[in-house]
Amino acid sequence: MRIFHRSPERDQQSAGRDAEYSFFSVDEGAQFRAHVRAAFAERGLEVTVHSGTVSDNTGRQFGLRNLAAICHQEPRGRKRWPHLIRGHVGRLLRVVDGPSPLEFLEPDQLLALLRPWVVARDFIEPNADRYVHARVVAPGLCEVLALDLRESVMTLPDTSLAPLGDIVELRARALDNLRELPMESHTILHGPQQMHFDVVTGDSFFTSSRVLATNELARDLTGRPLGPDGALVAMPNRHQLALRPIDSERDTTLMPTLYGMTVFAAANYEDAVGPVSPDVYWWRDGTLTRLVRQEGVEPEFKDDIEFEMLQMRLADNDADQR
């Protein structure tokens, strides 16, 4: 987990960067794609390797972004890449070539695996007409219903959801299932000016989607429900969720914490497996308001009158109690 420092490059910084994945050097990118081609060939499938995808002769395409991030983050370096890539390709082909869970699981079994999945809007944009049920949860983010298959996630288009029941009831069931997921790794990060926030990390594809149950998660982490002013949250990738409950009476570290979470979100988004969002949000009563947008070189702190009023109120409370 990173907050103030990025992982070192595997090649020297001066090496030319790969056009598709800047965390790779040109040489690393070429070696990575060669291993990918070899792994598919070992499975009897000849593929054409493009910069960010591979395609077979039937027209199927498989993205490489998450696999590239896994290899980049491997602490033992390139010697482990063939093993990682073979395992990933094997799991991928088992999923796409095997029978669909919709074909062999009973409706009750499918409902037990149903989860709401928070993803970047771009994830479903090419097929948005198939996911009319998708719900916008924040700028750039949406919630889509999916099956938790442990090794993978299967998003469910509207045609697959229809036989299972009413969409409102399905969403409620999915959210209940999300709340029942076991607690994963939890740590509290501290930094300058007494900033601090909680981070939940796990192998689940739905760790960051716990933001949909922020109040319950806060209670599990701190033993207390959230106050009326909610919490700051960040979901840099699908395996991490940062959360900072706001003390409505006296919170003197709110702004340092917002800056710290901004650094954390950027550092854990750029080359992450399953990136979700580099931004920081304010959660209140189930609504997410974006406070920090990270799209350029420097983060953009969005003007929000209600958040500004919160800061003034907290400052007044602190002055009164001194």
Side-chain angles (χ1 to χ4, degrees):
M1 181 188 304
R2 289 159 287 149
I3 176 167
F4 297 117
H5 300 284
R6 295 189 57 190
S7 299
E9 299 288 356
R10 296 299 182 261
D11 278 350
Q12 293 183 0
Q13 188 66 36
S14 58
R17 311 318 299 169
D18 184 84
E20 183 74 22
Y21 307 118
S22 61
F23 49 76
F24 279 161
S25 68
V26 171
D27 182 57
E28 286 173 330
Q31 187 174 11
F32 166 73
R33 293 179 181 90
H35 287 313
V36 169
R37 179 185 287 108
F40 276 98
E42 288 175 8
R43 294 273 175 169
L45 191 62
E46 293 298 326
V47 296
T48 300
V49 182
H50 311 283
S51 60
T53 62
V54 299
S55 59
D56 64 15
N57 58 7
T58 68
R60 295 185 303 182
Q61 285 200 341
F62 308 102
L64 298 178
R65 201 267 176 218
N66 287 339
L67 179 56
I70 290 171
C71 289
H72 171 64
Q73 294 177 5
E74 171 52 50
R76 286 165 289 185
R78 298 193 204 187
K79 64 182 180 181
R80 288 285 295 171
W81 287 10
H83 173 77
L84 293 173
I85 292 170
R86 282 196 299 269
H88 181 92
V89 170
R91 289 189 295 272
L92 175 64
L93 293 180
R94 282 198 300 274
V95 171
V96 299
D97 292 337
S100 167
L102 299 175
E103 297 174 359
F104 64 85
L105 291 181
E106 296 295 327
D108 286 349
Q109 294 174 301
L110 293 172
L111 291 175
L113 300 176
L114 197 63
R115 313 272 189 269
W117 199 25
V118 175
V119 296
R121 179 70 188 179
D122 292 346
F123 182 82
I124 65 166
E125 196 63 47
N127 300 298
D129 58 331
R130 301 178 59 216
Y131 295 92
V132 177
H133 77 272
R135 182 175 68 93
V136 175
V137 296
L141 298 178
C142 67
E143 168 207 307
V144 62
L145 296 184
L147 296 180
D148 184 355
L149 304 176
R150 305 308 179 195
E151 286 190 340
S152 63
V153 173
M154 179 180 179
T155 56
L156 297 178
D158 301 328
T159 53
S160 297
L161 289 170
L164 296 178
D166 175 74
I167 189 63
V168 175
E169 295 177 359
L170 291 177
R171 180 171 282 123
R173 174 64 183 270
L175 187 58
D176 285 343
N177 291 342
L178 183 72
R179 293 188 180 106
E180 292 172 2
L181 290 178
M183 180 57 63
E184 299 167 288
S185 174
H186 168 226
T187 189
I188 301 176
L189 294 186
H190 297 268
Q193 297 180 277
Q194 299 182 315
M195 61 135 283
H196 62 278
F197 54 90
D198 297 88
V199 178
V200 176
T201 305
D203 293 330
S204 171
F205 284 72
F206 296 87
T207 300
S208 64
S209 297
R210 288 174 180 264
V211 72
L212 300 173
T214 294
N215 199 44
E216 293 87 342
L217 180 62
R219 185 168 53 240
D220 290 342
L221 295 178
T222 68
R224 302 183 304 276
L226 290 176
D229 293 311
L232 302 178
V233 295
M235 306 79 72
N237 59 74
R238 68 193 183 200
H239 300 293
Q240 288 183 317
L241 171 60
L243 180 146
R244 167 57 152 75
I246 297 174
D247 183 344
S248 297
E249 297 300 321
R250 186 183 184 189
D251 199 326
T252 59
T253 64
L254 182 62
M255 291 311 296
T257 298
L258 177 61
Y259 286 109
M261 290 180 71
T262 298
V263 176
F264 170 86
N268 288 277
Y269 169 82
E270 185 175 357
D271 57 0
V273 178
V276 177
S277 173
D279 302 334
V280 182
Y281 299 86
W282 181 18
W283 185 98
R284 284 182 304 164
D285 296 325
T287 299
L288 287 170
T289 301
R290 182 164 60 188
L291 297 178
V292 181
R293 183 181 185 185
Q294 308 207 67
E295 196 170 50
V297 176
E298 296 294 332
E300 177 187 357
F301 290 83
K302 309 292 289 183
D303 292 329
D304 185 90
I305 186 63
E306 292 186 72
F307 191 71
E308 292 175 4
M309 292 176 64
L310 169 63
Q311 294 176 65
M312 289 188 289
R313 174 162 54 82
L314 291 175
D316 289 343
N317 289 349
D318 180 53
D320 291 342
Q321 295 179 38
R322 284 179 182 270

